[in-house]
Each structure stands twice: as C-alpha cells, then as structure tokens.
Amino acid sequence: MPPQSPHREKTATESTPRAMARARTQERILELGRDHLARYGAAALSLRAIARDLDVVSSAVYRYVANRDQLLTLLVVDAYTELADHVVEAHESAAPDAFRERLMVSCQAFRQWAVAEPARYALLYGSPVPGYQAPADLTTEPGTRVVGLLLKTLQQAASAGRIGDQPSYGDLPGAGFAPIRDEFALDIDDEHVHTAILLWATTVGLTSLEVFGQFGSEPPTDLEVLFDLQIGGVLDRIGLGRDPADG
C-alpha cells in the first residue's frame, strides 16, 4: 500500500477533534433537552432556551438540531433506547430457560425505569405533544424493542412446552394478529399473541396509573407489591408456571 500523502494525513488528524467536539455538543444538547423536559414539559421545549443554557447564540444550536421537532425525536429515541436497554439487561440476568422470571423481571424493569424517569416516560406513553408527530422510520424500531422481547420470550416458552392450553377467543376481528406476527417474525397462534398483549397492556397500564398519579397522593397499597401481584397473575392466566430451578 502506498504511503498516505501528508495532506490526507493532516486532514484526518484535524477532523478527529472537530468530530469529537461536535459529538460533545450534541450530547450536551441532549442532556439539556432531558433537563428541560423534566422541568418544563415536552410542549414547552425551546431551542432558544437550550441555546441560553449552552451560552451560545440560537443560530449555533440550529447547526446541530434543525428545530423543536427534531429535538423531540432525539429525546424520544434516547428514552426508548435507554428504557429498552434497561429491560434487556434485566431480562438477560435470568437463566435462558427461566421464562417466567425473564418476563417478570422485564416488566419490573419497565416500571422501575418509568418511576425513575417520569418526564421521559410521559414523552413516550403520555399525552401527545401538540403539533408533533414522531417519525415512524426513526422511532418504531427502538419503540418496539420491549414488546418484541416479551413476545419472543413467550414464543420460546410456548416452543418449550412451558405454557398451558390457551383459552379460545373465537373468531378475532379483521385479520387477527397476523400483522403482529409478521412484524416480529413470530411463530405462535392468535391465542398466544392475545395473552402476550394482555401482559403488555397490564404492564403499561399499571405503570401509567402510578407515574401519572392515578392511585392518588397516598396510594392505599404498596404499588410495587401490587404491580408484582398483577403481573404474576397475568403469567398465571397465560399458563406459565414455575421455572425449572424453582422446583
């Protein structure tokens, strides 16, 4: 291979610090976005306010983020990714064949992240931000990682013969759950998909009730205990019994 020309070597050397500086600024904008989201709410996000906290003119911020909607998209993707990473880490902490434990700790991790990050959870699962439409091409993949993980874990449990007989729900409307099976490349019947959706809906529903204060300022019971009981009850209804290590 011929030696690199001095001009090319100098360009590569000079571009690295610039790229690093740009990455640091982008990360700082994202950090400030998270802070402003928690302090002011999604609807009040402002790139001008971000610029003030960065101590730069607003035009400088627009070199990194085109507008408020792009900042919201960055925050949505960031939150979905962090939430999913947290859930996946919990999921993988259980043994590969401990399907019940894997599902339980995954749901618990979802709730734990939401309780710790209420503003970011609200951005994902709360009221839509007026005038903002999340771009599907950027948000669908990170936004479906958790539900996809639950579905695939249930498929693995069914394939291993660990799920009892599912109740028949009769003729499902429309095309049934074929689109869901296609999206996640699943090989399970409509009844199993139905119960998987039950698990997902219970997880999100209970979490949202807690995060958005629907249990009141003084909940009548320990909400963590309630959550675990409800998720355990859904797993019982699904027919997913004890894991082998539990005897």
Side-chain angles (χ1 to χ4, degrees):
M1 178 181 294
Q4 191 176 48
S5 69
H7 174 72
R8 289 181 61 191
E9 184 176 348
K10 181 179 179 181
T11 300
T13 302
E14 288 180 348
S15 68
T16 301
R18 285 200 298 270
M20 293 175 64
R22 181 175 181 83
R24 285 195 297 270
T25 301
Q26 289 174 325
E27 180 57 35
R28 182 58 181 150
I29 290 172
L30 190 59
E31 289 174 357
L32 288 170
R34 296 188 199 109
D35 179 63
H36 285 213
L37 181 67
R39 291 165 60 188
Y40 310 120
L45 281 177
S46 164
L47 288 181
R48 290 183 180 275
I50 298 288
R52 284 197 298 271
D53 282 3
L54 276 174
D55 198 23
V56 298
V57 296
S58 58
S59 59
V61 174
Y62 289 108
R63 292 201 294 266
Y64 298 90
V65 183
N67 49 46
R68 183 210 67 159
D69 283 7
Q70 187 177 16
L71 176 59
L72 279 169
T73 298
L74 290 173
L75 289 168
V76 167
V77 172
D78 173 65
Y80 271 137
T81 300
E82 185 175 297
L83 169 57
D85 287 347
H86 185 66
V87 171
V88 168
E89 182 179 4
H91 182 271
E92 294 181 351
S93 69
D97 63 343
F99 302 115
R100 185 183 178 99
E101 182 183 358
R102 284 195 152 196
L103 290 169
M104 176 61 81
V105 298
S106 295
C107 295
Q108 289 170 333
F110 181 94
R111 173 193 167 272
Q112 290 161 2
W113 185 90
V115 170
E117 299 283 353
R120 296 167 76 194
Y121 179 82
L123 179 63
L124 304 181
Y125 294 98
S127 300
V129 180
Y132 172 70
Q133 179 65 47
D137 60 322
L138 298 177
T139 59
T140 297
E141 189 279 329
T144 57
R145 282 178 60 199
V146 174
V147 66
L149 182 68
L150 299 182
L151 284 163
K152 289 176 181 177
T153 304
L154 282 166
Q155 174 179 269
Q156 292 167 356
S159 298
R162 296 275 301 284
I163 295 181
D165 293 336
Q166 299 296 286
S168 175
Y169 298 101
D171 293 332
L172 294 167
F177 295 123
I180 295 177
R181 282 196 298 272
D182 291 343
E183 180 177 355
F184 294 101
L186 299 172
D187 184 22
I188 50 179
D189 58 28
D190 278 354
E191 281 71 23
H192 284 93
V193 177
H194 192 286
T195 51
I197 292 173
L198 172 63
L199 177 62
W200 176 238
T202 303
T203 300
V204 175
L206 286 169
T207 300
S208 294
L209 286 171
E210 180 175 0
V211 171
F212 301 139
Q214 297 303 308
F215 286 110
S217 58
E218 296 183 5
T221 187
D222 186 317
L223 296 182
E224 182 176 0
V225 173
L226 175 65
F227 182 90
D228 290 352
L229 286 172
Q230 292 293 317
I231 297 300
V234 173
L235 295 177
D236 289 339
R237 180 176 175 183
I238 289 172
L240 186 56
R242 292 182 177 183
D243 292 316
D246 296 332

